[in-house]
Amino acid sequence: MKNYLFEIYTDEIPSTLVNFGAQELKSNFVGLLNSYKLNYGEIQSYSTSHRLVVLIKDIEEKEENTLVELKGPAYSFAYSEGGEPLVALKKFLETNGAKESEIYIKEIKGNRYIFAKKFINGKDAKEILLEVSQKAVLSLKFPHGMRWDSSNIEFTRPIKNVLSIFGNELIGVSIGNIPFSSKTFGFAFDSPFAIEIKNSDEYFKKLKENYIILSYEDRKKIVEKKSFEIAKSVSGKPVYTEEFFESVVNLNEYPTPFLCNLEISNINIPDCIIESVVKSHMKAFPIIDAVKNRLLPYFIAVKNGPSDFIDIVRKGYERVAKARLLDGLFFYHEDQEVRFESLVNDLSDVVFMKGLGNMLDKTNRIVKLAKKVSELLLLNKQEENDFERSSLLAKADLLTNVVKEFPDLQGTIGGIYAKNQRENDNVSTAIAEQYLPRFQGDRIPLSNLGKLLSINDRIDTLVGSIMSGVSFSSSKDPFGLKRVASGIVQILSSLDANSFPIYELIKASVNPFLESNPKFSDQTNELISITRDRASYYLKANGVRYDVAKAVISLPIDVLPSYLRRAKLIMKHLGSENLEIICQSHKRVSNILGSVEEVTCSVERSLLFDNNEVKLYDAIEESEKLFRELINNNDYDAALQMLYTITPLITKFFDNVLIMDNDEKTRTNRLALLKRLQTLFSSLADFSNIVFSNGNNSDK
Amino acid sequence: MYFQEMILKLENFWTKQGCIVLPPFDEQVGAGTLNPFTFLKVFGKKPWCVAYLQPSRRPSDGRYGENPNRLYMHHQFQVIIKPPSTDIKEIYLGSLKALGLKLAKHEVKFIEDNWETAVLGAQGVGWEVRLDGLEITQFTYFQQAAGIKLDPVSVEITYGLERLAMFLQEKENVFDIMWNEKYSYGDIRKDTEKEECIYAFDESDPKMLFELFEMYEKEGARLLEKGILIPGYQYLLKCSHTFNLLEARGAISIAERVKLIAKMRHLATLAAKIFLERESENEKLSI
């Protein structure tokens, strides 16, 4: 058994694709190797900005030998009537190297065929690795791939060298015009000299000596630890998201974080601009005063390479940051001279989406939508005014110099300008929060108006896109509509109320599009199903089992804000026998009601005569009102407990009462009772979707 | 190192690499890419290797000469190599050494940066090169132009000379760069910077510019349709600069923008077609 080391050495891979590339390469290897009978141990992958590496441990020298059964010609073609072998048989024997004495006959669907067994010698591991490595690289798909030489193969960035060693032996993998070699390279700017590599152990050892930290986890730890130490030295802590952190760390093969000064002591500039300069432009981490929650006049940059000459590098970073900041300040001052509100009309010059008019059109639509939502939610006059005002001003900052220069500040800077120009706090906060959450797991707007504005803005985008025929699938979503819809679900799920007029809102958003273009058709149902779909995804991401998610998302769309709370409750009760009874009853009721004509009449108590049905009816009658109240108050636990109190009655009812009675009146009345029970269940969840395996609870 | 010395050094360096060194193209352009010695020469199979200085005007970036980092007109030094040699990155790093930089004392980072221009239907994939955090060069592989997939690709190296000079001379204001031992960048450029901005932002006549655009576009189309390449292409460049002036003035609505870009794109496509036809004819002749 030997180890196989495979390294693709390239020019700088985009930092957001470094980890991705290694994972993809590894999974390509696994996929390809599994079509062979070659035994191997663990597969590891590594990557830096210059290399994608796969290490496969303990590979057998050869694939396992196999005996395969080969189907030959039909007997009637193989032998003449006199039993003489014919051409077809001879060919079959010849191509498979078999002897006539080894063949046998099997019958398939009434016809007799010639069969032979063939012993297949397992392929040499070297042969397999050669093939697999080439395919694994060439089938890697990167966003924005490129061509760089006459081979015209596409890869994320130019491939410079291919190293592939099995044990101590080179495997001649060449990719495009790049021949195989026995070398790799150390740190690109200090020791770019070729290093001879004899085997995988030596590879790891030599790279370490040459300032290459191969594993992302190791680089991450270094940057994390050092950054916190550095920030601590100025009594702060570094600010970053996971994703951004990865994109900074992976610009470096040997990361060395260092502290930089920001000369901003005399500059009055919003924190968000400083943050944007440090992050987007300098690819560095801002430092925050954890107590006062304000940015400190420092940042942490990461040098690629050891700390030699770090003072020179620091000087450069500081100078660039300062110039950029002064630029930001210049734009900020320019913007102050313009009345924020006056920008709204010029939004007609900003594209919203192709075929969907401009940002002024969008603004007008969300102002109208704000009015509609205010009505639906019974907002008071002040709230309604603030909502409309924030909708009107929401997109004005797209025309400010700061947003043109720092696009990631849209919304944030609008909120600041609105506040500077004496809009009230509700309005300015809503404007600032309208783009939240920016990604899954990002913070949700804190203010109520911020939530409502964010929902309206996204509904408008989603509705407009779908109406104009933009679509998305699980793999393709060029306009980021999934994120838009997910944002809506995340915000709705954060509401305290257990329902929200989503159906009406979507309808209200659909109408102006329908009026604006006769070619558009009403897509309300499609939009609701998209929203449901995202809700289901959200539930699963929050640990809800698929069948429980299904039970919840089949409730009316308007109760979406309570989907997660309901689902979590059911998850908690999955082990309960009572829940199982409810689920089975619900299923049974649905099956029965599904097989008869729709029941329209209500239950008449006088027509009930079996004691069991009377008791069930009385129990429903008694608890229904309270049950609904509990649900309206978000007390799903108590509501479920209440259902539990009637489960014995349900069991008895089903055990003792024949629903499909011969007497029509009795039958109809009993069906009406079932309908009542179904309605009761369904106001909490569609329990009929929940799966219990083998009649046992299955929490696992 | 003085500004003019930098230009000489780079010209010298790339001459040694076998490049033809050309004077700047004498039309107003927004970037060295529009120079026909880039935009047209990247088509076809014939090897090409060129280096030139190109003053580049981007009216929207102008700040009346008041901002220490922003200019209406800056100087690009452009290198195009088709097909790219495998060690082109090392050669490029060599050019920085030729400018007197001791790379071991600095950090050089290649950060993902791709570009695309709708007007030219062109696309490049590669990096911006950062020297101690300062973007000094765009280093990209030209993938497509006029909507045509380029084969072979060319490498395009574009140095931002002002940035590099500020770094080398340790200046915080672009106008403080020394052009030679006597004159500063400000001495040479500042008044013009200001005037060009006054023209672009305050004095230009959008109505006339729209008319000019239309005339240029018609003339360009007329010439290119007759197969007259460079004079026709020059009208495309005039359109492009006029468009940039209109944009700086904030005079183009969305609908117009789309239309104007489509018209320029059409000219670019015509020009590319003529160039490729000529090249395939030449090839036939040489066989």
Side-chain angles (χ1 to χ4, degrees):
Chain A
M1 284 194 296
K2 293 174 184 169
N3 292 348
Y4 179 58
L5 175 91
F6 181 66
E7 182 203 55
I8 297 280
Y9 183 80
T10 68
D11 284 336
E12 283 85 346
I13 300 168
S15 67
T16 49
L17 299 177
V18 170
N19 290 359
F20 166 85
Q23 284 149 16
E24 291 290 294
L25 186 62
K26 180 178 160 181
S27 84
N28 282 359
F29 261 99
V30 172
L32 289 162
L33 276 176
N34 288 349
S35 63
Y36 295 92
K37 292 192 159 53
L38 181 66
N39 294 319
Y40 60 89
E42 195 187 348
I43 295 199
Q44 294 169 350
S45 64
Y46 302 90
S47 55
T48 72
S49 51
H50 276 289
R51 51 198 106 218
L52 302 177
V53 183
V54 166
L55 174 70
I56 311 173
K57 289 188 172 168
D58 306 326
I59 308 176
E60 299 281 1
E61 302 265 350
K62 255 187 76 194
E63 198 183 10
E64 279 173 20
N65 298 328
T66 44
L67 203 56
V68 286
E69 182 172 68
L70 300 166
K71 185 182 163 207
Y75 187 84
S76 52
F77 289 116
Y79 288 100
S80 68
E81 280 180 27
E84 289 298 312
L86 296 171
V87 183
L89 179 66
K90 285 179 189 160
K91 277 238 164 102
F92 173 69
L93 295 175
E94 204 179 293
T95 41
N96 294 300
K99 288 184 198 128
E100 198 186 340
S101 58
E102 295 164 353
I103 62 168
Y104 54 98
I105 293 156
K106 272 196 346 191
E107 215 178 88
I108 297 174
K109 288 182 189 160
N111 292 318
R112 303 199 311 150
Y113 288 91
I114 305 293
F115 276 85
K117 286 224 164 91
K118 189 181 180 186
F119 179 80
I120 294 183
N121 222 330
K123 271 192 186 173
D124 214 15
K126 284 188 280 183
E127 211 180 311
I128 295 173
L129 289 171
L130 177 72
E131 203 178 310
V132 164
S133 304
Q134 246 146 2
K135 276 193 191 156
V137 174
L138 293 175
S139 56
L140 265 184
K141 287 271 169 289
F142 287 97
H144 302 295
M146 64 176 280
R147 297 171 294 128
W148 67 93
D149 68 15
S150 63
S151 73
N152 275 325
I153 60 168
E154 240 189 77
F155 205 66
T156 176
R157 286 298 181 271
I159 298 176
K160 294 291 186 182
N161 189 58
V162 182
L163 171 68
S164 50
I165 301 183
F166 181 48
N168 292 316
E169 210 174 331
L170 286 184
I171 305 291
V173 183
S174 61
I175 310 283
N177 292 351
I178 318 300
F180 69 97
S181 87
S182 56
K183 293 173 285 224
T184 186
F185 297 88
F187 185 70
F189 295 99
D190 278 3
S191 41
F193 311 106
I195 306 168
E196 280 292 329
I197 301 293
K198 287 202 197 69
N199 55 47
S200 59
D201 289 344
E202 196 181 57
Y203 173 81
F204 290 100
K205 192 170 143 263
K206 286 205 171 168
L207 280 191
K208 208 171 173 184
E209 287 166 10
N210 281 280
Y211 295 102
I212 304 297
I213 301 171
L214 262 181
S215 131
Y216 172 68
E217 289 306 318
D218 291 345
R219 290 193 298 275
K220 181 182 164 180
K221 264 182 226 148
I222 292 171
V223 177
E224 216 164 42
K225 185 164 172 273
K226 273 240 109 181
S227 297
F228 273 88
E229 278 169 21
I230 291 170
K232 212 175 162 197
S233 73
V234 294
S235 316
K237 63 170 199 192
V239 194
Y240 52 75
T241 60
E242 232 5 78
E243 204 181 335
F244 178 69
F245 185 79
E246 181 189 315
S247 76
V248 173
V249 170
N250 279 340
L251 289 170
N252 308 280
E253 292 206 282
Y254 188 94
T256 303
F258 62 99
L259 182 71
C260 292
N261 274 295
L262 263 179
E263 295 176 48
I264 48 168
S265 47
N266 300 319
I267 302 176
N268 183 19
I269 187 168
D271 272 5
C272 63
I273 295 181
I274 302 173
E275 204 176 323
S276 177
V277 165
V278 171
K279 277 161 52 177
S280 310
H281 196 73
M282 304 309 301
K283 317 273 180 213
F285 310 126
I287 304 180
I288 196 166
D289 177 332
V291 184
K292 289 186 196 136
N293 201 27
R294 283 226 48 177
L295 283 189
L296 292 168
Y298 305 98
F299 64 93
I300 299 166
V302 184
K303 184 192 171 209
N304 188 23
S307 61
D308 312 346
F309 302 105
I310 199 106
D311 291 332
I312 295 177
V313 178
R314 174 186 295 116
K315 208 170 109 192
Y317 271 81
E318 287 176 349
R319 208 161 46 190
V320 175
K322 188 181 165 192
R324 203 59 196 151
L325 213 53
L326 288 176
D327 244 16
L329 185 70
F330 169 83
F331 294 124
Y332 180 65
H333 283 177
E334 290 256 290
D335 286 344
Q336 302 307 303
E337 286 163 26
V338 181
R339 183 103 194 103
F340 193 48
E341 189 180 350
S342 73
L343 294 172
V344 174
N345 275 328
D346 297 336
L347 284 171
S348 59
D349 274 345
V350 181
V351 188
F352 168 45
M353 277 174 75
K354 216 179 153 213
L356 292 178
N358 55 53
M359 277 292 173
L360 181 62
D361 298 332
K362 183 182 177 88
T363 300
N364 291 334
R365 285 195 304 268
I366 60 173
V367 169
K368 263 195 203 152
L369 217 47
K371 207 170 276 185
K372 179 77 188 174
V373 172
S374 301
E375 271 169 41
L376 291 170
L377 295 179
L378 308 171
L379 298 187
N380 67 37
K381 198 68 208 156
Q382 178 66 43
E383 287 168 326
E384 185 180 338
N385 287 343
D386 288 347
F387 194 4
E388 281 180 39
R389 183 79 183 155
S390 57
S391 304
L392 179 72
L393 298 176
K395 304 298 170 192
D397 69 355
L398 295 179
L399 286 165
T400 62
N401 290 301
V402 166
V403 170
K404 280 182 203 158
E405 207 50 34
F406 306 97
D408 55 326
L409 293 183
Q410 61 175 4
T412 316
I413 205 76
I416 292 173
Y417 290 170
K419 200 178 166 82
N420 285 353
Q421 303 198 359
R422 302 213 177 74
E423 298 294 336
N424 74 35
D425 281 359
N426 292 337
V427 173
S428 63
T429 309
I431 293 172
E433 292 184 330
Q434 64 178 306
Y435 296 104
L436 297 178
R438 290 177 201 258
F439 49 89
Q440 179 94 37
D442 190 20
R443 68 188 180 90
I444 305 288
L446 287 174
S447 74
N448 193 37
L449 272 193
K451 287 179 187 175
L452 296 180
L453 181 58
S454 183
I455 291 172
N456 278 0
D457 182 25
R458 282 163 214 253
I459 287 275
D460 180 77
T461 301
L462 186 66
V463 169
S465 309
I466 298 297
M467 302 270 292
S468 68
V470 173
S471 61
F472 62 89
S473 64
S474 52
S475 57
K476 277 193 183 148
D477 182 19
F479 294 88
L481 293 181
K482 263 191 262 176
R483 209 179 50 216
V484 172
S486 290
I488 297 170
V489 170
Q490 286 175 66
I491 300 170
L492 287 170
S493 302
S494 77
L495 298 177
D496 291 332
N498 67 356
S499 76
F500 190 88
I502 300 165
Y503 180 80
E504 286 297 322
L505 175 61
I506 290 177
K507 273 225 87 81
S509 176
V510 164
N511 286 334
F513 288 108
L514 275 181
E515 286 158 19
S516 75
N517 190 334
K519 285 188 199 140
F520 287 167
S521 60
D522 190 343
Q523 303 273 350
T524 307
N525 291 336
E526 169 70 8
L527 285 152
I528 287 170
S529 110
I530 288 170
T531 313
R532 271 220 167 85
D533 203 51
R534 284 292 102 191
S536 163
Y537 178 84
Y538 175 76
L539 292 176
K540 287 173 209 159
N542 275 284
V544 174
R545 214 171 68 185
Y546 76 100
D547 54 331
V548 177
K550 215 166 148 194
V552 173
I553 61 160
S554 48
L555 293 171
I557 193 75
D558 282 6
V559 301
L560 193 154
S562 63
Y563 282 179
L564 184 61
R565 289 190 285 265
R566 292 172 197 244
K568 277 190 168 162
L569 173 75
I570 297 173
M571 288 300 292
K572 215 171 77 188
H573 282 251
L574 277 177
S576 142
E577 209 173 306
N578 275 324
L579 182 72
E580 195 177 340
I581 295 170
I582 288 174
C583 294
Q584 275 155 3
S585 311
H586 198 152
K587 211 169 291 173
R588 200 160 167 185
V589 170
S590 298
N591 285 343
I592 296 169
L593 290 174
S595 65
V596 297
E597 269 177 46
E598 209 192 322
V599 183
T600 46
C601 55
S602 49
V603 191
E604 277 186 49
R605 192 179 191 276
S606 57
L607 288 175
L608 300 167
F609 48 84
D610 188 300
N611 196 22
N612 290 304
E613 61 181 332
V614 175
K615 273 190 180 159
L616 179 61
Y617 174 80
D618 286 345
I620 294 174
E621 188 77 11
E622 231 169 74
S623 48
E624 208 169 32
K625 196 167 156 252
L626 182 57
F627 184 72
R628 282 189 209 296
E629 265 171 34
L630 289 172
I631 286 177
N632 286 338
N633 291 330
N634 269 326
D635 198 347
Y636 304 105
D637 204 351
L640 187 61
Q641 294 297 348
M642 195 156 183
L643 284 187
Y644 285 175
T645 60
I646 60 171
T647 46
L649 302 176
I650 297 171
T651 311
K652 275 193 188 148
F653 172 78
F654 276 122
D655 286 351
N656 299 303
V657 179
L658 176 70
I659 315 250
M660 302 311 260
D661 196 273
N662 283 333
D663 176 59
E664 199 196 325
K665 272 191 177 171
T666 310
R667 188 169 70 231
T668 314
N669 202 41
R670 283 179 179 161
L671 287 171
L673 179 60
L674 286 190
K675 174 114 186 177
R676 191 88 183 262
L677 187 62
Q678 188 190 38
T679 312
L680 189 74
F681 287 152
S682 299
S683 51
L684 189 51
D686 187 348
F687 294 100
S688 65
N689 282 301
I690 296 172
V691 181
F692 287 88
S693 55
N694 308 325
N696 292 321
N697 60 70
S698 65
D699 209 356
K700 281 147 205 144
Chain B
M1 185 176 295
Y2 300 120
F3 196 71
Q4 67 185 34
E5 261 184 284
M6 284 173 53
I7 299 169
L8 292 171
K9 287 252 157 115
L10 286 173
E11 286 181 343
N12 229 321
F13 180 88
W14 289 102
T15 300
K16 282 186 201 143
Q17 297 301 323
C19 284
I20 302 170
V21 174
L22 290 176
F25 195 66
D26 51 344
E27 278 287 345
Q28 293 161 321
V29 293
T33 308
L34 281 97
N35 182 320
F37 290 108
T38 288
F39 184 73
L40 293 176
K41 290 289 191 180
V42 292
F43 291 106
K45 298 272 184 200
K46 251 197 224 157
W48 179 241
C49 201
V50 70
Y52 55 82
L53 174 75
Q54 185 65 57
S56 304
R57 290 178 169 79
R58 295 181 180 173
S60 300
D61 283 351
R63 297 287 178 265
Y64 298 93
E66 287 163 13
N67 184 295
N69 297 294
R70 298 250 170 175
L71 295 168
Y72 177 101
M73 189 195 93
H74 68 287
H75 297 79
Q76 296 187 341
F77 191 88
Q78 167 105 344
V79 179
I80 289 284
I81 296 176
K82 176 177 73 172
S85 52
T86 50
D87 55 349
I88 184 63
K89 212 173 120 186
E90 284 68 41
I91 297 173
Y92 162 74
L93 292 172
S95 76
L96 297 181
K97 288 178 197 155
L99 292 173
L101 280 165
K102 300 251 179 306
L103 293 187
K105 288 191 180 177
H106 300 279
E107 184 203 47
V108 181
K109 247 185 195 157
F110 283 67
I111 298 183
E112 175 188 21
D113 193 21
N114 311 324
W115 59 267
E116 215 167 314
T117 68
V119 174
L120 297 178
Q123 192 196 78
V125 177
W127 309 266
E128 57 179 65
V129 183
R130 292 206 185 175
L131 178 60
D132 293 350
L134 179 72
E135 182 188 343
I136 52 166
T137 307
Q138 287 256 352
F139 190 114
T140 53
Y141 287 78
F142 224 124
Q143 304 288 308
Q144 175 187 309
I148 298 165
K149 200 168 166 184
L150 299 175
D151 179 19
V153 296
S154 302
V155 72
E156 180 179 35
I157 302 174
T158 309
Y159 301 79
L161 290 184
E162 282 81 358
R163 296 246 182 100
L164 253 175
M166 284 168 81
F167 187 94
L168 292 171
Q169 298 186 15
E170 300 195 24
K171 303 287 188 202
E172 300 212 344
N173 188 322
V174 64
F175 297 104
D176 294 340
I177 294 170
M178 291 310 288
W179 198 287
N180 67 5
E181 66 278 15
K182 269 195 192 149
Y183 292 95
S184 73
Y185 190 94
D187 293 335
I188 310 290
R189 285 286 315 155
K190 197 162 184 174
D191 289 343
T192 315
E193 242 331 282
K194 188 174 171 185
E195 282 185 332
E196 287 192 296
C197 290
I198 291 175
Y199 174 70
F201 297 130
D202 311 312
E203 287 298 326
S204 74
D205 175 356
K207 192 167 155 283
M208 184 199 74
L209 289 174
F210 274 119
E211 283 167 19
L212 282 178
F213 184 95
E214 205 169 305
M215 287 162 72
Y216 292 152
E217 191 265 327
K218 274 203 186 117
E219 187 67 349
R222 188 178 74 83
L223 294 172
L224 291 169
E225 271 155 20
K226 281 192 168 175
I228 304 173
L229 179 57
I230 293 296
Y233 185 75
Q234 276 177 291
Y235 277 101
L236 163 60
L237 297 182
K238 287 182 200 295
C239 283
S240 159
H241 181 62
T242 310
F243 176 86
N244 291 344
L245 283 172
L246 281 165
E247 202 150 62
R249 200 80 161 88
I252 306 177
S253 72
I254 304 173
E256 274 164 342
R257 203 186 141 80
V258 175
K259 263 191 255 159
L260 300 184
I261 288 181
K263 282 180 177 171
M264 291 189 281
R265 172 79 184 263
H266 177 64
L267 295 183
T269 310
L270 286 177
K273 223 173 93 190
I274 297 171
F275 186 87
L276 279 169
E277 272 166 16
R278 284 189 191 172
E279 189 174 84
S280 71
E281 271 166 33
N282 285 344
E283 250 162 48
K284 265 183 245 155
L285 288 178
S286 64
I287 294 164

